[in-house]
Every structure is written in C-alpha cells, then in structure tokens.
C-alpha cells in the first residue's frame, strides 16, 4: 500500500467517524480566529474559548487592537500563559494587518507568516478555515497521528506539513487535520493509543 493510498483510506475512515470537521476555536471573523490561534499556543482550545469572549467584547475592531494598552490585553489573556508575548504579538499583528494588508487578513501562508507571532501552523489554519484553500495544520495531534499511521516519519512540523501535502487529497487536507485533532483527543491520545476503539485501525501502520 502506498502512502497516498493509505492516506485516502484514513481520510475516509475519519470522515465517517467525525463528519463535522470544524475548528474548536470560537471566533466571528478572520482576525478573531488569528488572535484565538495565537492564544492557543501551549494552551488548550477550551481555555482560549473561556478567555476570548471578554477580549472580543472589549476589542471589536482592528483599530481597537492597534491602539490597545498591552497591559489590558495581558490582564484578559493571563490564564492562557505566556501572556506578555502573546499580548504584544496580538497588537503587532493588528498593526501589520492594518498597515501592510489594508485591514484584510491575508490569504497566503507566505503573507501571513510576515505578521508578528504567526507561524506556519497558524497561517495554514487561516488559509484553510477562512479562505477554503488546501492547507495542512501541523499541530501536535496531526504530527503524532500521521507518524503512528505511517503517513510520515518525522516530528518536524514543516516537514510533516509538506509531506502530507504530497499525499493527502487537497480538497480533504484541511478537514483531515481537524479530524486528527478530534481523534487525537478521543482515541489516539499521546500517552496511549486506544487501537481497539479506533475506526481507522485497519489502515494504520501501528496495527499493520
């Protein structure tokens, strides 16, 4: 079985198990998703979703963020961890979107990664979820599962992203990443994979 064949079978298996492939971060517009994703670094999505309603209620426009007092944002996002850096990044991201992209969150990984605090993982999420383009969000769940499943043999996020882009059906890649997050939380956990409950087990290299 080639990696492309295995990838397609895994895509279909997870699609049946998790038909609603959605990002668990809550937001109302592209910039809010950008902010939420930055906050999620080394923090759970659940925690971010507890914090962002207050942040988004206080800061409604791009200019609000551009003119924000960094200490005010720090106070709101404190429980997300690494709040000093995250608060600075959020303000600088807003200024970058306003000053260099005319107030519109850009739609390419190359442009997005020029913004303060935006790495390839965040950029791919925006490209896929907001603009509907093929994307691979190489978070910890995807890296773990794609290695266990036999799709890649590397823990380097950028290499995982590029290798999966070669073998995943482009129109399925973004949803596959979301499904891997859901599967990684529910079944294929970091400490131990519950292979007996896995809907994709028959195609997984860990089993084969």
């Amino acid at each position: 079985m080639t990696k492309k064949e295995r990838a397609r079978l895994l895509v279909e298996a997870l699609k049946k198990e998790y038909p609603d492939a959605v990002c668990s971060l809550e937001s109302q517009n592209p910039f809010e998703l950008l902010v939420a994703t930055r906050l999620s670094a080394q923090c759970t999505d659940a925690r971010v979703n507890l914090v962002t309603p207050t942040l988004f209620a206080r800061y409604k426009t791009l200019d609000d963020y551009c003119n924000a007092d960094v200490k005010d944002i720090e106070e709101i996002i404190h429980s997300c961890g690494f709040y000093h850096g995250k608060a600075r990044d959020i303000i600088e991201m807003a200024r970058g979107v306003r000053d260099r992209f005319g107030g519109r969150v850009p739609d390419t990984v190359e442009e997005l990664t020029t913004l303060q605090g935006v790495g390839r993982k965040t950029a791919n999420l925006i490209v896929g979820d907001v603009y509907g383009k093929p994307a691979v969000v190489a978070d910890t769940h995807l890296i773990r599962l794609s290695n266990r499943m036999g799709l890649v043999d590397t823990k380097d996020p950028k290499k995982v992203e590029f290798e999966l882009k070669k073998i995943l059906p482009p129109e399925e890649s973004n949803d596959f990443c979301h499904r891997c997050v859901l599967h990684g939380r529910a079944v294929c956990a970091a400490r131990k994979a519950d292979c007996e409950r896995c809907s994709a087990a028959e195609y997984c290299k860990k089993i084969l």
Side-chain angles (χ1 to χ4, degrees), residues 9 40 43 45 55 73 75 108 115 124 131 133 203:
L9 290 168
S40 72
C43 179
D45 290 358
L55 183 67
I73 292 183
E75 183 178 339
T108 68
L115 296 171
N124 271 283
Y131 296 108
K133 298 181 179 182
Y203 313 120

Side-chain angles (χ1 to χ4, degrees), residues 27 30 84 92 96 99 102-103 108 124 129 136-137 140-141 179 184 203:
S27 62
H84 293 302
E92 288 306 315
D99 299 340
T108 68
N124 271 283
D129 274 33
V136 173
V137 182
T140 55
H141 294 290
R179 291 181 174 115
Y203 313 120

